Amino acid sequence: MTTPHPAPRTYPFDARPLTDPVDPQAVKRFHTELTRRFPGTGMNVVALVVVLAVTVPLMLGMLGAVTAFISVVAVGGLGLLVVPAVLGVIAVVGVLIWLAVRHFGGSAKERRYRLDGFARANAMQYMPRLATPPLPGMIFDRGSSRLATDLLRGEQPRFAEFANYQYTTGSGKNQTTHRWGYVAIHLDTPLPHIVLDAVGNNGLFGSNLPASFSKQQRLSLEGDFDQYFTLYCPQGYEADALYLFTPDIMVRFMDNLAQLDVEIVDDWLFLYAGRPVSTTDPATWAWLFSAVSALMDKLAQWARWRDERLAAEHARLAQAAALPATAAAPPGSPVAAGMPMPLQPHAQAPSAVAPPTPTAWLGPKGVAQPGRRLRSGIPWAAVVIIVVALGFIAVPMLLGPLSLLLFR
């Protein structure tokens, strides 16, 4: 008879600030204070660029039309009634653009106001934006214009951060903005670099992750785990991964995180989503809180993990540093002759050494060099693209000489 796995402890949250009616004056005061604390928050650069990209060509086109109509009027008096109509259309378009910008700005202010209220109601803190967040995950060291937005941070029962994130790759017409949502959870000790690539969110060309890893680092776990995740761990750390991913923890991952990619690196655990996670949608927060709650009371199990390779490495360094006394003693000294060193005046016997703490018994925290980062690999989609491109180049080069031989 199998023992059922205990249900994860739930952490209730208050979602009312996300849906309750808001006071427009309170939103305005909050926005003023927020822009004072975080300069640049009030200007949405992306929205401004989009508005200008749409409206400027439209306005220039209408002005050109007005100029053409005026020239017609000057020549033959035609279109005299059309000019006021065109000017009226320009005025209406201008008013609509102003209303759209005002509405967009108002909704952004209200969203921040609601997220701040939601954060305070649930013992968290809200931050509107953070450029280049100093996190070690795979999405945080890529591209340029790295920006985290709508960050919510909590300290209990351990530090967790919910945020949206974007970065840019390429330039010019080939520029692409990549958008993610992430949850960052701080761990008690550094762990080996482990990635769980969720099978359920992969695309046509395989993994949606921005990094690929060598297949020699794939590890198959027991049960149905491989149907939900592809697990990568550094070679030589397979037993450590099995120690960390016990059956009860695997159940938590399969039941609650099947649509999220997971990365464990240094003393952080990251959950990645291909869409924003910091929103005003209560259902999204219910999903996130359920996923994080499922992990919180299990992550403490990982605190006792220690890397035996690091302990052995420290022991070798300590042994090398502790040179024998005879090696450092000058020739002819009592120590070199094998005689005991006389006690110096006023020398005192060493005090009793305190017993080691339980943490010291476990060994030093940290990960040896081979386990700190996974080795990169080449995605099979890239290989297919390269082969097809080479085919397009090679086939015409081969067909030319072949046709000459056949029709000579």
Side-chain angles (χ1 to χ4, degrees):
M1 179 176 179
T2 59
T3 303
H5 297 287
R9 184 173 57 171
T10 60
Y11 295 88
F13 67 98
D14 185 359
R16 288 176 298 176
L18 301 175
T19 56
D20 285 349
V22 297
D23 179 8
Q25 294 302 317
V27 173
K28 185 177 180 180
R29 289 192 299 269
F30 169 77
H31 176 71
T32 302
E33 175 63 18
L34 196 67
T35 53
R36 184 190 66 81
R37 293 169 50 205
F38 302 95
T41 301
M43 176 67 70
N44 191 308
V45 178
V46 176
L48 181 62
V49 170
V50 172
V51 170
L52 292 178
V54 174
T55 59
V56 170
L58 181 62
M59 299 296 287
L60 290 177
M62 290 187 174
L63 288 175
V66 171
T67 302
F69 288 137
I70 292 177
S71 64
V72 171
V73 172
V75 174
L78 299 177
L80 184 61
L81 299 178
V82 179
V83 175
V86 174
L87 293 176
V89 171
I90 293 177
V92 171
V93 172
V95 171
L96 292 177
I97 292 173
W98 177 77
L99 291 174
V101 172
R102 183 178 178 182
H103 173 75
F104 184 86
S107 62
K109 296 175 185 177
E110 182 179 321
R111 185 189 75 250
R112 296 183 181 122
Y113 176 80
R114 289 184 178 279
L115 287 174
D116 180 77
F118 175 74
R120 287 185 285 106
N122 294 277
M124 296 188 291
Q125 295 179 341
Y126 172 73
M127 181 183 296
R129 56 190 290 141
L130 176 64
T132 315
L135 294 171
M138 70 174 75
I139 68 173
F140 300 104
D141 62 352
R142 298 178 180 274
S144 59
S145 302
R146 304 167 187 168
L147 180 66
T149 57
D150 292 334
L151 299 88
L152 275 73
R153 294 172 170 175
E155 298 286 345
Q156 297 297 330
R158 64 175 64 240
F159 179 88
E161 178 177 285
F162 306 80
N164 305 323
Y165 180 74
Q166 66 182 51
Y167 62 90
T168 302
T169 57
S171 60
K173 295 182 179 180
N174 296 322
Q175 182 172 303
T176 303
T177 300
H178 307 264
R179 304 182 189 279
W180 294 85
Y182 73 87
V183 182
I185 303 174
H186 194 252
L187 303 175
D188 298 313
T189 185
L191 296 176
H193 191 193
I194 295 176
V195 170
L196 278 66
D197 184 2
V199 176
N201 60 20
N202 287 342
L204 179 62
F205 296 101
S207 175
N208 66 320
L209 292 174
S212 57
F213 306 100
S214 173
K215 291 184 177 180
Q216 284 75 20
Q217 300 169 115
R218 292 181 60 172
L219 175 64
S220 178
L221 298 184
E222 63 181 19
D224 298 330
F225 195 79
D226 292 349
Q227 299 180 17
Y228 295 87
F229 295 100
T230 300
L231 187 147
Y232 297 90
C233 74
Q235 287 184 291
Y237 281 80
E238 293 81 4
D240 302 273
L242 294 174
Y243 171 84
L244 297 172
F245 286 88
T246 54
D248 58 335
I249 290 182
M250 286 193 291
V251 169
R252 298 287 178 94
F253 274 83
M254 289 187 292
D255 290 347
N256 299 277
L257 302 166
Q259 294 301 315
L260 294 171
D261 299 298
V262 183
E263 181 179 21
I264 302 169
V265 55
D266 298 338
D267 52 354
W268 289 93
L269 183 145
F270 297 101
L271 309 177
Y272 300 128
R275 61 184 179 91
V277 300
S278 184
T279 73
T280 56
D281 177 26
T284 297
W285 284 107
W287 169 56
L288 290 173
F289 272 55
S290 174
V292 173
S293 298
L295 295 179
M296 283 300 184
D297 57 344
K298 289 298 179 182
L299 295 181
Q301 297 181 17
W302 292 354
R304 296 182 59 84
W305 178 86
R306 294 294 185 271
D307 193 345
E308 295 179 355
R309 304 158 191 80
L310 188 66
E313 182 179 313
H314 284 191
R316 288 194 301 270
L317 293 175
Q319 185 177 6
L323 294 176
T326 55
S333 67
V335 173
M339 299 172 59
M341 191 72 176
L343 291 176
Q344 300 297 322
H346 309 294
Q348 298 179 355
S351 59
V353 179
T357 61
T359 302
W361 295 340
L362 295 175
K365 290 184 178 182
V367 184
Q369 186 65 37
R372 294 177 187 173
R373 292 296 183 273
L374 288 164
R375 290 187 291 107
S376 299
I378 301 176
W380 69 268
V383 175
V384 171
I385 293 174
I386 293 173
V387 170
V388 171
L390 292 176
F392 275 107
I393 297 174
V395 169
M397 295 176 63
L398 294 175
L399 288 179
L402 183 61
S403 61
L404 291 177
L405 292 175
L406 292 176
F407 298 102
R408 185 170 56 179

